[in-house]
Every structure is written in C-alpha cells, then in structure tokens.
Amino acid sequence: MPDLDSLPPLREVIAAHDLRAQKSLGQNFLLDLNMTDKIARHAGDLSGANVFEIGPGPGGLTRSLLKAGAEKVIAVEYDERAVQALGGLQEAAGDRLEIIHGDALEIDLTQLSQSPRMIVANLPYNIATPLLINWLRKIRNNPTNFQSMTLMFQKEVAQRLVAAPGNKTYGRLSVIAGWLCDVTMAFDLPATAFTPPPKVTSSVVHFVPKALAGDAPSFEAVEKITAAAFGQRRKMIRSSLKGYKAGFAALGIDETIRAEELSIEQYIQLAGS
Ligand code: SAM
C-alpha cells in the first residue's frame, strides 16, 4: 500500500487521468506542495477536527492537509475525472480521507460530520462567494458550526472581505463576514503559482467565527439592509435606507452619511431595529 510520501508527482497524476483544467469548473491547480503546505500551516492545528476541503482537484492541498496531521479530511469534488485521480491518495490515506463526488453548493457540510469542523480550500472562483455566503449563514445559525475557515479567493474578493468602513472596497461582504467572524488576510499567491495561471493575484483569508449576541438579527435582515445600502452606495442613507428612519433616530445615526461610512456594528443594530 502506498504511503503519503511515495505518491507520484501531481503532474503525473494529472496526465494519467487526463485532468486538463476546465475553466467552467474554476480549475486552477496548485502543483507546488510548498504552497499547499503553507496553506495547511495557516489553517492552524488540524489534529482534532474534521477538515473539509472543497474541490481537491488532483489533490495537492489534500496531501498537505493529511501530512499536517488532519485526523480526517472530507473532500467534496464535482469533477468525476478528479475523483478518479484521487484514487492513489485515497489508498494511501485510508480512513483518514473521505471523497464525496458532488456539488459543494448543494451539500450541507454540517450534515456530513460532527463538530469541530474546519474548511480549508483553494476555492473555484466562479462559485467562491455563494459558497462563502452559505457557510456564513451556517455560522449565523450557530458559531460553533465551523471552528475556522481558511480559503483562497481572488485578491479583489479577499480585499472586500477584510475592508474597513471608509474604504472603497467596503461593502456587503465586509459587513456580513466581519459581523460573524474575525477575518484576516493571510498571504497572497501570484498567478504564476497556479496551473494554468488565472488572470489575477490570489489571497488566502482566515476566518474564525465569533460568539453571537443573544439579540443578533437574522442573516436575511443583514443581507437585506446591506443590499439596499450598497446597491445605492453613492446615495445618502436617508434615501437608500428609507425603511430604517426610526432606527437612525433611536441609534443617533446621521442620515446624511453614505453606505460606506456606516460601521459594521451600526448595520447590525439597524438591521435589528
Ligand atoms: N484544491 C486543488 C488545488 O489547489 O490544486 C484544486 C483547486 S481548483 C481552484 C477548484 C476545484 O474545485 C477544482 O478541482 C474543481 O473541479 C472543483 N469544483 C468546481 N466546482 C465545484 C463544485 N460545485 N463542487 C465541488 N467542487 C467543485
């Protein structure tokens, strides 16, 4: 039985299974195991958790997660060719690796394992934001649903996720993510680190869910207010957020400011007002 250290190079795995990258599946593979090891390190201690990986592809990051000590990796992959290509790794990893052939957008990860759960993934960029929104919704329901998430995005999306008020990239994602998690930018990866290279730089972002206030508004209420405010970000909030006038008065918020000047806390207070 092969062990994790004697697996063939990823390029050979790709060639043997004809795993040519498909743009429609957001396939930009990381074949340099130093890079995937670095992502696994940034995820922190993997030993006691069920680690979910979305889109293992040829399995570089999967190898790194297993080598970094993950007790169990549950990898969800849509592409049948990649599922086949992961056969050797599956044999080497035994019970520590479970591969699920399916669409990550349709799968509720919290139904697949007990907590603690972590997500570590080089996400397919075409669905990275909807996947993140699904997981943040789960965190709103219960912050212990995920212990942490360590995710690769296009740098432009990563910047939106960590943006502070007043910044031109501050928007819906900054408010929703910053409300529910401590969000930090871990590091950038140049396009040349990937095969094939995407058009843009990528960044790894680390999320740690925060405890939730007892009177926290619903996820839908926060989605609604941020959509209204940032959908008309140049308008004063007295016109973009007409329905929240009573809240402005009660919370002492100046109604002539614009969407990007309201803090995350103010959005959350208004959403619950
Ligand atoms: N983890 C690999 C790596 O770092 O080299 C591959 C990352 S690649 C950016 C994204 C992966 O997500 C691909 O393997 C792709 O087939 C897979 N994928 C795309 N859409 C998916 C979906 N809806 N559900 C699960 N996996 C998906």
Side-chain angles (χ1 to χ4, degrees):
M1 184 162 127
D3 63 35
L4 287 174
D5 293 317
S6 56
L7 290 164
L10 291 165
R11 283 186 195 285
E12 279 180 26
V13 174
I14 288 174
H17 294 87
D18 199 19
L19 187 54
R20 277 165 293 120
Q22 277 184 22
K23 204 170 170 198
S24 62
L25 290 174
Q27 290 180 334
N28 300 101
F29 301 132
L30 279 173
L31 305 183
D32 178 349
L33 295 175
N34 291 313
M35 295 294 174
T36 53
D37 283 349
K38 188 171 175 185
I39 299 171
R41 270 200 308 279
H42 271 269
D45 182 3
L46 306 174
S47 58
N50 287 301
V51 181
F52 286 100
E53 185 191 357
I54 304 308
L61 180 57
T62 326
R63 292 185 191 189
S64 295
L65 293 169
L66 290 162
K67 277 193 276 178
E71 210 163 282
K72 175 96 185 186
V73 175
I74 303 174
V76 180
E77 175 57 63
Y78 185 79
D79 187 343
E80 168 71 29
R81 296 172 308 158
V83 172
Q84 294 301 326
L86 291 163
L89 179 56
Q90 172 75 82
E91 232 182 283
D95 287 349
R96 290 176 65 207
L97 175 63
E98 182 179 342
I99 299 165
I100 293 177
H101 184 201
D103 180 351
L105 280 171
E106 304 290 328
I107 293 177
D108 178 353
L109 301 182
T110 64
Q111 298 296 312
L112 294 181
S113 83
Q114 301 296 319
S115 55
R117 306 179 193 91
M118 298 165 84
I119 310 176
V120 187
N122 171 16
L123 294 175
Y125 290 154
N126 44 349
I127 55 167
T129 306
L131 284 170
L132 176 68
I133 291 288
N134 282 352
W135 300 328
L136 290 171
R137 187 178 280 114
K138 287 280 163 197
I139 288 170
R140 163 61 190 83
N141 290 346
N142 181 352
T144 67
N145 269 334
F146 297 110
Q147 184 175 302
S148 68
M149 304 190 287
T150 307
L151 306 173
M152 177 97 71
F153 296 94
Q154 302 179 38
K155 183 168 185 161
E156 176 258 321
V157 176
Q159 283 170 328
R160 286 197 270 141
L161 284 164
V162 299
N167 190 302
K168 68 177 188 320
T169 58
Y170 180 64
R172 294 182 61 193
L173 278 181
S174 336
V175 173
I176 298 175
W179 165 41
L180 297 166
C181 298
D182 284 318
V183 189
T184 46
M185 188 81 98
F187 61 93
D188 288 351
L189 274 183
T192 50
F194 299 84
T195 305
K199 289 209 173 66
V200 292
T201 301
S202 298
S203 309
V204 173
V205 182
H206 187 66
F207 304 75
V208 178
K210 298 191 275 204
L212 201 66
D215 59 351
S218 68
F219 194 85
E220 290 66 32
V222 177
E223 276 193 308
K224 185 171 157 215
I225 190 171
T226 51
F230 291 103
Q232 297 182 292
R233 60 188 297 145
R234 291 146 101 86
K235 295 215 168 139
M236 291 181 194
I237 55 171
R238 73 172 168 222
S239 91
S240 58
L241 296 180
K242 278 200 187 81
Y244 297 86
K245 275 198 187 308
F248 299 151
L251 298 164
I253 294 172
D254 174 0
E255 58 178 29
T256 66
I257 64 175
R258 291 174 171 76
E260 69 186 45
E261 294 169 90
L262 271 179
S263 68
I264 294 178
E265 198 187 348
Q266 287 173 321
Y267 274 110
I268 302 312
Q269 288 172 333
L270 277 173
S273 68

